[in-house]
Amino acid sequence: QKEVEQNSGPLSVPEGAIASLNCTYSDRGSQSFFWYRQYSGKSPELIMFIYSNGDKEDGRFTAQLNKASQYVSLLIRDSQPSDSATYLCAVAGGTSYGKLTFGQGTILTVHP
Amino acid sequence: DTEVTQTPKHLVMGMTNKKSLKCEQHMGHRAMYWYKQKAKKPPELMFVYSYEKLSINESVPSRFSPECPNSSLLNLHLHALQPEDSALYLCASSQLWSGTDTQYFGPGTRLTVL
């Protein structure tokens, strides 16, 4: 089992729809959870981080964390073509101290 | 301001060349990282510096040599690289190396080894 797994893509949604990106992790000691967006040929850009169970909202983005289920998600409301990118889930803490463990990424395409 | 800068943006080198990648941050962060990223893969950690001391070396070949001259600068010296070392090299920094701090990435250096 991979340490961090993301829903396999690519994910395609129409403009204006909600895009839902999911991530599960295996290390129960994990403490910090991050979503990075990466455009093709560019570096990862931090979108959200979440440490506590529940929801965290920032503009059109909502991160959801459920530590009991070892699940973290990112919702993008009113998706725009500019949201088309690879989204990387990353987890920190637990047995991999000092390291970010990345998922393989989910490619999101928002079509007009 | 969460800016990490990297130079050069692109680098082409032969297998016998020696070159260096540079990374700089002025956020007062005390942890800095080097990652390597191949196409369609997530970043892979190479090195971690905490308070200018090497804290993690992920069994990286000795042809990659990191250096942290001060708290704002991080270098990666390259020598006798192989074509398979061609990748995007990313620098990141975080407030501390606490294990859970948010890491901010620089724009990367696209390295091609001929």
Side-chain angles (χ1 to χ4, degrees), chain A residues 32 36 38 43 46 92 97-99, chain B residues 37 58 97-100 103 106:
Chain A
S32 303
Y36 288 89
Q38 187 170 25
S43 67
L46 180 71
Y97 181 84
K99 302 180 187 180
Chain B
Q37 188 177 25
E58 290 286 86
W97 186 52
S98 70
T100 57
Q103 292 184 29

Side-chain angles (χ1 to χ4, degrees), chain B residues 21 34 46-49 54 56-57 60-69 74-78:
Chain B
L21 309 184
W34 280 115
M46 300 174 72
F47 303 103
V48 179
Y49 274 83
L54 184 64
I56 291 182
N57 175 343
V60 179
S62 59
R63 56 186 185 269
F64 295 92
S65 176
E67 178 195 20
C68 190
L74 187 65
N75 298 321
L76 186 63
H77 303 298
L78 314 172

Side-chain angles (χ1 to χ4, degrees), chain A:
Chain A
Q1 181 189 5
K2 290 182 185 173
E3 293 182 56
V4 179
E5 291 202 54
Q6 296 186 234
N7 48 331
S8 58
L11 179 65
S12 181
V13 300
E15 186 173 355
I18 296 175
S20 177
L21 303 161
N22 304 315
C23 176
T24 58
Y25 58 95
S26 60
D27 187 341
R28 282 200 170 273
S30 300
Q31 298 172 278
S32 303
F33 306 87
F34 307 90
W35 284 99
Y36 288 89
R37 176 177 63 196
Q38 187 170 25
Y39 293 114
S40 181
K42 302 295 186 183
S43 67
E45 173 193 7
L46 180 71
I47 295 192
M48 296 281 286
F49 60 87
I50 186 166
Y51 302 139
S52 304
N53 277 330
D55 294 0
K56 179 181 179 183
E57 189 174 316
D58 184 1
R60 296 186 297 112
F61 300 96
T62 299
Q64 300 174 316
L65 174 62
N66 184 325
K67 289 187 178 180
S69 301
Q70 295 175 244
Y71 174 89
V72 58
S73 67
L74 180 70
L75 299 178
I76 306 175
R77 289 182 301 281
D78 188 24
S79 295
Q80 301 297 309
S82 58
D83 294 325
S84 299
T86 297
Y87 288 80
L88 293 164
C89 172
V91 175
T95 56
S96 297
Y97 181 84
K99 302 180 187 180
L100 275 181
T101 302
F102 287 91
Q104 290 299 303
T106 299
I107 298 172
L108 171 67
T109 301
V110 181
H111 52 88

Side-chain angles (χ1 to χ4, degrees), chain B residues 31-100:
Chain B
M32 296 184 77
Y33 310 77
W34 280 115
Y35 286 86
K36 172 183 177 180
Q37 188 177 25
K38 302 282 270 185
K40 300 189 189 306
K41 297 289 188 184
E44 296 174 38
L45 182 66
M46 300 174 72
F47 303 103
V48 179
Y49 274 83
S50 176
Y51 287 90
E52 296 111 70
K53 294 198 185 315
L54 184 64
S55 298
I56 291 182
N57 175 343
E58 290 286 86
S59 303
V60 179
S62 59
R63 56 186 185 269
F64 295 92
S65 176
E67 178 195 20
C68 190
N70 61 55
S71 60
S72 301
L73 288 174
L74 187 65
N75 298 321
L76 186 63
H77 303 298
L78 314 172
H79 173 55
L81 295 193
Q82 304 298 308
E84 59 264 29
D85 296 322
S86 298
L88 180 67
Y89 286 84
L90 296 162
C91 174
S93 71
S94 63
Q95 188 74 33
L96 295 170
W97 186 52
S98 70
T100 57

